[in-house]
Amino acid sequence: MEERLRLVHGQRVATQRLAERGSKSIGIFTGNLRAFPMQAERMPVVCDEWTGPGLVDEAFQEAGVKHLGGSRPLHSAALFNRTSGGLIAAIGALCAGRPVVSAVPAGSKSHASVSRGCYAARVDLIECDTAAAFDDAVDAQKPALVLVTTVSSNLDRMPEATIAAMVRAAARAGAISLIDDAYGARIRPILHGGEHGLRLGADLVITNCDKAGMIGPRAGLLVGVDAHVQRVAAKAAEFGSEARAPIVAAVTESLEMFAPAWLQEESDMGKELTGLFEQKFGAERVQRSDLGPIIVEDELFAMALERAGITPAGTGLVPAEATSALGVILLRDHGVLTTNTHGQPGAKVSLRLRPTPDGIGWLGSLSAVVDALDASLDTLAPLMGNTAAISRLIIGKEI
């Protein structure tokens, strides 16, 4: 419940800043743009819930299948309100009452929707972060469905050879392979010369429509073997997680507009910002990713305590509370919106800054982001011993 309160309060803080300073006063640094690319004159026609889907379906199928490296008519596409909704529907539709084996990059964990999907389907989840563990699990569990997450939310990346080997192992075992390529569908081929999952032999691939170069709106795009896609789409309709007509129409335009250069530009900006962070805060405290700097919650907690001049024993806070409070200060005082205020319940609590041209545009420069974090840490430091004040910052009231 507290995480929901954090999200709602973060939205209120953003609303207040917009009311006071206008629409250009907030830059999105989550990496999720969530635009709605739709010409106003087309909306009454293609957004109609009854006739709109039929009008855009052919264009959606062509753009969706092409985006994920598929080929028609072997492959088809379906759209969900979130990638999470698509994953939960896929597990429910395809697990056949048997355990689901989920492979992730070393040291990572499956997305929360995977465990939630397995719980809803009343099947066990077997998580693996090495190829050997994956092979053993597939042999022992005889799954009907395996999931392979190629790039984690922290942008840890699975080796291409490992992805291909896992897809082959699933095929040998007679399992359906689903690649969770929320980030990887674009990061792997565009930034690292990797191959699309369907071309590696995967049965299904799902990606997010508002991250890693995609401008939105928020949705999950599933492409793969037509029979499997139809089963997942049917299950999503039962769950109420299918994307409605306006989202399908807008995603179709987004897919048709997409240019790989957008992601390359985001990556270049992220690398430059990471270098500035390392200079200011120390390379040992900053993690590099393809899209920008990461400072994990324990490091930020230590940085705030150092500025406060106290030890961990001098505060009743935990690192997640400190990063959430820092996110509110960044948003309220500097207009830097992060997942620390607007991430969904269950999102990672580290500080992950993923710049985009629009986000940097109103701030003026990448160095302004560094200055915003530095000033926000100074604002946070005197509050580190005051749990009531931190609670008011995070959820708007004391608990």
Side-chain angles (χ1 to χ4, degrees), residues 104-105 108-109 149-158 183 348 354:
V104 297
S108 302
K109 290 186 67 66
T149 301
T150 63
V151 179
S152 73
S153 59
N154 252 20
L155 303 186
D156 299 314
R157 187 163 43 91
M158 185 180 287
Y183 283 101
K348 289 184 180 295
R354 292 165 183 172

Side-chain angles (χ1 to χ4, degrees), residues 177-258:
S177 56
L178 167 56
I179 290 184
D180 179 0
D181 244 355
Y183 283 101
R186 289 166 296 282
I187 282 180
R188 293 190 302 102
I190 295 172
L191 300 183
H192 298 285
E195 186 58 273
H196 287 293
L198 293 173
R199 293 176 184 168
L200 293 175
D203 297 300
L204 297 163
V205 176
I206 193 166
T207 192
N208 192 298
C209 296
D210 70 339
K211 60 177 60 168
M214 282 286 286
I215 63 172
R218 183 185 200 183
L221 172 67
L222 179 75
V223 174
V225 176
D226 179 66
H228 301 329
V229 170
Q230 301 311 322
R231 290 171 64 189
V232 178
K235 182 62 69 174
E238 294 177 21
F239 289 163
S241 60
E242 79 279 21
R244 306 303 299 176
I247 302 299
V248 176
V251 164
T252 301
E253 293 211 10
S254 180
L255 288 167
E256 291 173 342
M257 293 165 57
F258 174 73

Side-chain angles (χ1 to χ4, degrees), residues 5-318:
L5 293 175
R6 169 196 53 78
L7 174 58
V8 171
H9 182 61
Q11 292 168 340
R12 290 176 182 148
V13 172
T15 299
Q16 182 174 350
R17 185 176 176 93
L18 290 173
E20 293 173 352
R21 306 192 184 205
S23 61
K24 299 296 185 181
S25 67
I26 292 178
I28 309 302
F29 286 83
T30 65
N32 306 76
L33 294 183
R34 296 181 183 172
F36 197 86
M38 175 61 59
Q39 298 173 359
E41 60 271 20
R42 295 191 65 210
M43 292 182 70
V45 178
V46 298
C47 293
D48 180 278
E49 287 283 358
W50 298 109
T51 59
L55 293 173
V56 301
D57 184 64
E58 183 62 25
F60 166 69
Q61 292 294 330
E62 287 292 338
V65 171
K66 177 182 178 182
H67 189 75
L68 292 182
S71 59
R72 299 183 68 192
L74 173 62
H75 299 124
S76 63
L79 199 68
F80 308 89
N81 59 4
R82 292 176 57 183
T83 305
S84 299
L87 287 170
I88 292 171
I91 292 168
L94 304 175
C95 72
R98 299 186 338 235
V100 171
V101 176
S102 174
V104 297
S108 302
K109 290 186 67 66
S110 304
H111 190 273
S113 60
V114 176
S115 59
R116 302 297 189 274
C118 289
Y119 177 81
R122 300 295 189 266
V123 297
D124 291 333
L125 170 63
I126 313 299
E127 287 191 293
C128 314
D129 69 351
T130 67
F134 176 83
D135 289 342
D136 290 344
V138 169
D139 289 342
Q141 301 297 331
K142 310 299 181 189
L145 174 68
V146 301
L147 301 178
V148 180
T149 301
T150 63
V151 179
S152 73
S153 59
N154 252 20
L155 303 186
D156 299 314
R157 187 163 43 91
M158 185 180 287
E160 291 290 312
T162 301
I163 300 168
M166 288 178 172
V167 169
R168 291 194 298 269
R172 287 195 300 270
I176 296 170
S177 56
L178 167 56
I179 290 184
D180 179 0
D181 244 355
Y183 283 101
R186 289 166 296 282
I187 282 180
R188 293 190 302 102
I190 295 172
L191 300 183
H192 298 285
E195 186 58 273
H196 287 293
L198 293 173
R199 293 176 184 168
L200 293 175
D203 297 300
L204 297 163
V205 176
I206 193 166
T207 192
N208 192 298
C209 296
D210 70 339
K211 60 177 60 168
M214 282 286 286
I215 63 172
R218 183 185 200 183
L221 172 67
L222 179 75
V223 174
V225 176
D226 179 66
H228 301 329
V229 170
Q230 301 311 322
R231 290 171 64 189
V232 178
K235 182 62 69 174
E238 294 177 21
F239 289 163
S241 60
E242 79 279 21
R244 306 303 299 176
I247 302 299
V248 176
V251 164
T252 301
E253 293 211 10
S254 180
L255 288 167
E256 291 173 342
M257 293 165 57
F258 174 73
W262 295 352
L263 176 58
Q264 188 62 62
E265 184 178 18
E266 287 184 17
S267 180
D268 291 344
M269 294 178 70
K271 290 175 182 176
E272 186 177 350
L273 182 60
T274 301
L276 293 174
F277 265 49
E278 290 174 339
Q279 293 173 23
K280 180 67 177 181
F281 304 111
E284 72 282 358
R285 284 187 150 152
V286 179
Q287 294 182 6
R288 287 182 167 265
S289 79
D290 281 322
L291 299 181
I294 300 170
I295 304 181
V296 299
E297 56 272 24
D298 290 341
E299 289 290 355
L300 277 170
F301 190 60
M303 291 163 69
L305 289 177
E306 288 172 7
R307 296 195 184 203
I310 60 177
T311 66
T315 179
L317 302 176
V318 297

